[in-house]
Amino acid sequence: MDRRGKDKPEFEIFWTRGNRKIDFRKPNIIFSLGRRGSGKSAFLELMALKHLQAGGKILDLFGSKDGEGLAWLRSPLTKDKEIKLLHGNLVDLQGRDGIQATKFKLSDLDRGDIFISASPLYTSMDNEFDSVNHVFDTLWKRTYWDQPVFIIVREAANLLYSRIKIRPSQTMAKAELVYMLRESRHSGLALGLDSTKHTSIDIDIRKLTDYLVLKNLGLYGLPRDLWWIYSMFDPNALQNLKPNEFAIITKEGCMGLGSFDLPRWHKREGEHILKDVGVNPRYYEAEKESEQALEYVREAVETLTGKYTPTDVSEWIKNEHGVEIRPEGVGLYLRRIGYTTENRSIDGKQMRVVKQIGNSC
Ligand SMILES: Nc1ncnc2c1ncn2[C@@H]1O[C@H](COP(=O)(O)OP(=O)(O)OP(=O)(O)O)[C@@H](O)[C@H]1O
Ligand SMILES: [Mg+2]
C-alpha cells in the first residue's frame, strides 16, 4: 500500500502580494477549487489538522462516497484525541462508540475532538442527507463558543443538494445556505469546502471565503469572475500545479503561492478504508429487506403446487410482488425455511425441484 506523505504535515506560503498569517483559532472559511485528483481534500485535511492543533475540533461532515473521512482514524497525531463516528439510525458500529447523527446535540461536541460522518456509515444517501442536515442545523444553534469547529465539506454542491431536500425550492435552499455560511462565524464554525465544478453555488460561497485556494484547475481554468487572478499568476503555471502546490487569495486581496505535505493517513484512490481502519458497520435495513424476501419465498412455497423450481419461485415473487430475487438467492432463503432442492427428471429433462427437508416425496 502506498504510504507516502508525512505524519506531521506542514505547509508554507510565499506571498507575492501582501502578507497574511492564517490564524487557526478563527472560524475561517476556506474554499478550495481544483480538478479531480488535484489534492483538494488532502489540503483541507491539513487545514483541519491545523485548527485541531490550535485547540479547535474537526467535523468531517460531507465525506465522499468511499468514506475518505474515516482515514482520520489512522492519523498518528490523533492518537491522543477522541474520535467519534456519526452514523445512521439503522447502522450498528459493532462495538465502536458512535453517535446517532439524527440525535446529535450541541453537548455531544464535548464528547470528542474529531467527528466523522462518512457515507458507509449510513444505509442510504437519503438517510445520510437527513442526518447531516440535522447536525448542520444543530451546530448553527451554538450561541457561545471558545473553540472553533472546522467543518469539512468535501464537495460544496452536496451541501446544497442536501438542503434542497428539506426546503420547498432550490432558490430557497440556496438562499438559506448562503445565509447560514455568512453567519457561521457567530457560531464559531470554520469551514473547509472543496469543489471541482464552477456551479452557481460556488460563486456565492466563494464570495464569503476568507481564503480561496486554487489547485490545478485543468483545461477549463478559472471561472470568469476570477479571471483577474491571471493578471497576477501565469495561467500556464496555474494549469500545471502539482498536487502539493496551490495558489491562495485572501479576502483582503493578499496573494501567494504555496506547497504542503501530503498527510500520510489520507485515503488513496481505490483503497478499502473501512477494512484498513477496522470499522465494520452492520446495516439493519439490509437485514429488514432480507426478512421481507424470506417472507415472499415462504408465501411462494405455500402457494405453488406440484413440482416447481427456484426459478418458478423467483418468477412467482416477481409477478405477485414486483420484486426480483434471483433463483440463487431463492435457494438460500429456501434452506432457511426448511426447504432444499433436488435433481429430478421431468419430461426427460433434469431439473432442480424444491422439496421440504425430510420429506421423501
Ligand atoms: N501534498 C501532496 N503531495 C504529494 N501528493 C499529493 C499531495 N496532495 C495530494 N497528493 C496526491 O494526489 C492524490 C489526490 O489527492 P486528493 O484526494 O486530495 O485529491 P482531490 O482533489 O480531493 O480529488 P477528488 O476531486 O477526486 O476528491 C493523493 O492520493 C496523492 O497521491
Ligand atoms: Mg477530494
Side-chain angles (χ1 to χ4, degrees), residues 40-41 68 154 194:
K40 301 180 298 294
S41 302
E68 198 173 55
R154 288 172 196 258
D194 76 29

Side-chain angles (χ1 to χ4, degrees), residues 4 35-42 68 243-244 260-262 266:
R4 282 176 304 133
R35 68 167 173 78
R36 284 210 60 201
S38 57
K40 301 180 298 294
S41 302
E68 198 173 55
N244 66 326
F260 72 106
D261 302 318
L262 172 69
H266 180 64

Side-chain angles (χ1 to χ4, degrees), residues 78 266 341 357:
T78 53
H266 180 64
T341 54
I357 294 172

Side-chain angles (χ1 to χ4, degrees), residues 63-179:
S64 49
K65 286 279 130 259
D66 55 4
E68 198 173 55
L70 292 166
W72 287 110
L73 289 166
R74 64 183 182 196
S75 155
L77 281 164
T78 53
K79 284 241 157 65
D80 54 341
K81 302 283 179 193
E82 191 62 41
I83 302 186
K84 290 271 182 258
L85 301 183
L86 299 177
H87 61 89
N89 312 3
L90 292 163
V91 175
D92 176 8
L93 296 182
Q94 309 209 70
R96 206 176 256 277
D97 192 19
I99 299 173
Q100 256 190 40
T102 51
K103 295 192 177 149
F104 180 82
K105 321 180 275 311
L106 278 179
S107 58
D108 284 329
L109 281 177
D110 300 332
R111 295 173 56 197
D113 305 293
I114 303 177
F115 299 83
I116 308 167
S117 168
S119 294
L121 306 182
Y122 296 90
T123 42
S124 67
M125 203 161 148
D126 247 21
N127 186 237
E128 181 182 4
F129 277 11
D130 287 343
S131 307
V132 166
N133 276 324
H134 170 77
V135 175
F136 206 63
D137 289 338
T138 307
L139 289 171
W140 256 261
K141 291 187 189 128
R142 229 165 52 132
T143 46
Y144 60 92
W145 54 276
D146 50 11
Q147 302 162 309
V149 176
F150 186 82
I151 307 176
I152 303 182
V153 178
R154 288 172 196 258
E155 175 50 72
N158 279 347
L159 196 54
L160 178 63
Y161 297 147
S162 75
R163 303 305 296 182
I164 290 172
K165 237 189 123 252
I166 54 167
R167 291 293 168 251
S169 74
Q170 179 160 346
T171 320
M172 198 178 277
K174 189 169 149 183
E176 184 196 57
L177 180 61
V178 171
Y179 172 78

